[in-house]
Amino acid sequence: MAFRLKLVPTHTNIDFFKWQWLTFGASVVAVVVSLLAVAIMGLNFGVDFKGGTTIRVESTQNIDISVYREATDALGLGEVSITDVFDPSFRPDQHVKMLRVAPQDGYEAVTPEVIEQIEAALLQVDPAVTFPSVESVGPKVSNELIWKALAAVAIASTGIWIYVWLRFEWQFAVGCVAALIHDVIVTVGFFAIFQLKFDLTIVAALLTILGYSVNDTVVIFDRLRENLPKYKQMPLRDLMNLTTNETLSRTVMTMTTTALALTALVIFGGDVIRGFVSAMLFGVFIGCYSTLYVAKNIVLMLGLDRTEKAKKERKPGDHEFANIDA
């Protein structure tokens, strides 16, 4: 007899609306806190959005940051940010630091001559130091990237809204997009609160989170659409609970397997992709939460015209745009 792993019992009867105002209120609070965190604390923009030059410094010696800072201060470059980078995959003799240098007056980015001065100054205090990578972005380009990143998220959300509205009813589309906006804002707030580096890879993670979250939501909405003609007399609240319980095993299994893969990448993937993977891992959990406690709540608040559907006597699964190819 084959062994089958079940994270959720075959038949569940969880009342997802038992604490609907508490869970929905927690989501509203999370969104407000996230917006306040971004407004007050700001985001720790990476070189993509802030401009300047980032130099990755590696050495076999564990040199204190203050030694590097004294060497760069002597060059008169203004504020130079130096941070340690830790990673479980590093060798015992691999010590990595990141130097961030703001663009100098009159220049779009740090010039090659200045970079050479920085490298020479660090070599004097640590002959074993190496410079595996140098990234430079001018302030004009970084400003354009911020607007393009915002536009990418907005366009993706709009496209998803249009798709869900065509495939379902407008109430489903409103609930779905509200959940997506919730996921994006809370994830960005997470980065603001913990001051994690926010760069283009995080924007890519946000777009991926949108796709993951809407996929999970559409699965429940699709089952709900199938159940509407089957249970014409069942109250919408109870029908949504039934539908969510029917798809709960799939939701939990998808979230768990995705989280396991992302956790492995957080631990063993290295510091280069850690920001992207961390955003994805947080987004997987917040996306699952919004599917269960945000999207459905909004649809229930807006209501569905089930009487009209019954009069039209449509077949299970039919609706105004049922014949549109997905």
Side-chain angles (χ1 to χ4, degrees):
M1 183 175 175
F3 172 76
R4 297 180 62 187
L5 175 64
K6 288 188 177 181
L7 299 178
V8 178
T10 304
H11 301 288
T12 58
N13 188 29
I14 302 173
D15 185 0
F16 290 94
F17 291 99
K18 183 177 182 180
W19 309 103
Q20 70 178 90
W21 295 113
L22 178 62
T23 55
F24 192 74
S27 296
V28 173
V29 170
V31 169
V32 173
V33 170
S34 298
L35 291 174
L36 289 175
V38 173
I40 297 173
M41 302 175 64
L43 291 169
N44 180 20
F45 285 125
V47 67
D48 296 333
F49 295 139
K50 194 174 182 180
T53 297
T54 298
I55 305 174
R56 182 184 176 97
V57 177
E58 293 190 13
S59 177
T60 55
Q61 304 180 61
N62 189 13
I63 304 297
D64 191 82
I65 287 180
S66 61
V67 176
Y68 285 162
R69 182 169 289 113
E70 289 177 2
T72 55
D73 286 346
L75 300 176
L77 301 176
E79 183 180 356
V80 178
S81 174
I82 307 176
T83 55
D84 276 306
V85 178
F86 300 99
D87 192 277
S89 63
F90 286 168
R91 303 184 310 273
D93 63 342
Q94 185 179 10
H95 306 282
V96 181
K97 294 177 175 58
M98 297 296 290
L99 278 72
R100 187 194 305 278
V101 186
Q104 305 301 297
D105 295 337
Y107 296 94
E108 281 291 306
V110 178
T111 63
E113 291 76 16
V114 172
I115 295 175
E116 290 178 0
Q117 292 178 18
I118 296 172
E119 294 177 352
L122 296 181
L123 283 169
Q124 288 182 0
V125 297
D126 182 11
V129 71
T130 59
F131 310 96
S133 65
V134 178
E135 299 178 0
S136 295
V137 176
K140 182 178 179 180
V141 174
S142 63
N143 186 57
E144 292 177 355
L145 289 176
I146 291 177
W147 287 108
K148 288 182 178 180
L150 292 173
V153 175
I155 291 172
S157 300
T158 303
I160 290 172
W161 176 78
I162 294 174
Y163 169 77
V164 176
W165 177 68
L166 292 176
R167 292 296 297 171
F168 301 94
E169 284 72 32
W170 68 268
Q171 294 94 332
F172 290 93
V174 173
C176 184
V177 171
L180 296 181
I181 294 174
H182 166 273
D183 297 345
V184 170
I185 292 177
V186 174
T187 302
V188 173
F190 170 77
F191 274 78
I193 292 172
F194 292 97
Q195 286 297 290
L196 302 176
K197 187 173 72 172
F198 194 93
D199 53 21
L200 281 177
T201 61
I202 307 305
V203 176
L206 291 176
L207 294 175
T208 309
I209 290 170
L210 290 180
Y212 176 90
S213 182
V214 73
N215 176 68
D216 207 22
T217 304
V218 164
V219 168
I220 297 179
F221 282 176
D222 196 52
R223 179 62 65 88
L224 176 61
R225 185 180 63 185
E226 293 176 359
N227 285 337
L228 282 171
K230 294 180 183 179
Y231 304 95
K232 297 178 181 179
Q233 303 304 318
M234 182 180 291
L236 183 59
R237 182 181 185 276
D238 297 337
L239 183 58
M240 284 187 169
N241 264 328
L242 172 66
T243 300
T244 307
N245 279 282
E246 289 178 346
T247 58
L248 185 61
S249 177
R250 183 263 178 202
T251 299
V252 173
M253 183 63 74
T254 302
M255 182 193 70
T256 303
T257 53
T258 305
L260 286 174
L262 292 172
T263 301
L265 287 174
V266 168
I267 298 173
F268 303 108
D271 63 286
V272 176
I273 64 170
R274 180 161 290 117
F276 172 84
V277 178
S278 298
M280 281 293 301
L281 185 59
F282 181 80
V284 164
F285 287 103
I286 203 68
C288 181
Y289 177 88
S290 67
T291 296
L292 296 176
Y293 294 108
V294 176
K296 295 192 295 76
N297 284 28
I298 292 178
V299 174
L300 181 62
M301 293 175 189
L302 295 175
L304 294 173
D305 192 352
R306 301 173 65 186
T307 303
E308 182 181 354
K309 287 182 176 293
K311 289 180 179 179
K312 292 182 179 179
E313 296 182 352
R314 290 174 177 158
K315 296 179 181 179
D318 283 355
H319 58 96
E320 349 358 8
F321 300 101
N323 295 322
I324 293 179
D325 188 7

